[in-house]
Amino acid sequence: MASEYRVGHGFDAHRLVRGRKLILGGIEIRHSKGLLGHSDADVVLHALVNALLGALGAGDIGTHFPDNDPRYKGVSSALFLKDVMQMARKRRFKLINADITIIAQEPKLSPHYGAMKSIIAKHARIAESSINIKAATTEKLGWIGRGEGMAATAVVLLSRK
Ligand code: MG
């Protein structure tokens, strides 16, 4: 039987503020500021979850995990990833690969790609080799360049037999 393939795209952005931990891809990264949000504001996992929901034709992260729901206050966004992967498995979809881009002026993120991949692979129950993480700056242009926030995009491919 032919496989059905579904592509999904996700985007997310959060404001950077002092006094918050910087959590990206499920790991804590030392930085002078952290991302502000209702959950841990992990833009990487939020973009990934939005991409997965897009591929499933299941709406967006705000619909499934509302940012005014006290259950999600301060939670690890890994919870959202686990939930959405479970939703995918229930619908017999398997994640083939994910390609994630983080857009941030600083800090340098490449030393953390391995740890992020390992966390994502664990929660998504796929091989680390199926996940790609990269980062770009905006050459100091705009709100990202001024260090006011960070963004991330993700593309995923799902298949169903
Ligand atoms: Mg978000």
Side-chain angles (χ1 to χ4, degrees):
M1 196 176 99
S3 290
E4 178 190 357
Y5 291 96
R6 303 284 298 251
V7 69
H9 170 256
F11 171 82
D12 194 36
H14 281 268
R15 187 183 292 272
L16 273 167
V17 295
R18 297 201 182 273
R20 286 269 300 187
K21 284 179 182 173
L22 176 60
I23 311 288
L24 289 175
I27 63 160
E28 187 180 336
I29 293 170
R30 281 179 69 101
H31 191 46
S32 55
K33 296 177 183 175
L35 294 168
L36 183 64
H38 183 65
S39 64
D40 63 2
D42 186 332
V43 279
V44 174
L45 296 189
H46 292 189
L48 178 59
V49 165
N50 262 331
L52 290 163
L53 288 168
L56 293 169
D60 64 24
I61 192 168
T63 310
H64 292 271
F65 311 102
D67 67 4
N68 54 8
D69 188 329
R71 278 181 302 169
Y72 304 127
K73 188 167 167 52
V75 295
S76 164
S77 299
L79 174 86
F80 308 152
L81 176 59
K82 276 191 274 190
D83 268 23
V84 169
M85 284 304 296
Q86 193 177 19
M87 190 187 304
R89 281 192 294 273
K90 266 191 201 151
R91 299 175 186 202
R92 295 184 295 113
F93 278 105
K94 174 176 124 186
L95 177 58
I96 303 289
N97 74 304
D99 185 19
I100 299 165
T101 302
I102 308 165
I103 308 139
Q105 192 58 46
E106 51 174 21
K108 193 168 177 56
L109 296 173
S110 53
H112 306 289
Y113 293 166
M116 290 185 207
K117 279 189 207 179
S118 150
I119 291 282
I120 293 168
K122 187 179 93 183
H123 293 303
R125 299 197 211 162
I126 61 167
E128 285 182 33
S129 58
S130 303
I131 303 158
N132 189 66
I133 300 178
K134 55 198 183 303
T137 71
T138 59
E139 301 277 337
K140 301 205 169 152
L141 292 166
W143 57 272
I144 292 177
R146 291 190 296 269
E148 295 168 11
M150 288 183 180
T153 67
V155 176
V156 299
L157 184 67
L158 304 186
S159 80
R160 173 157 71 176
K161 284 258 186 245

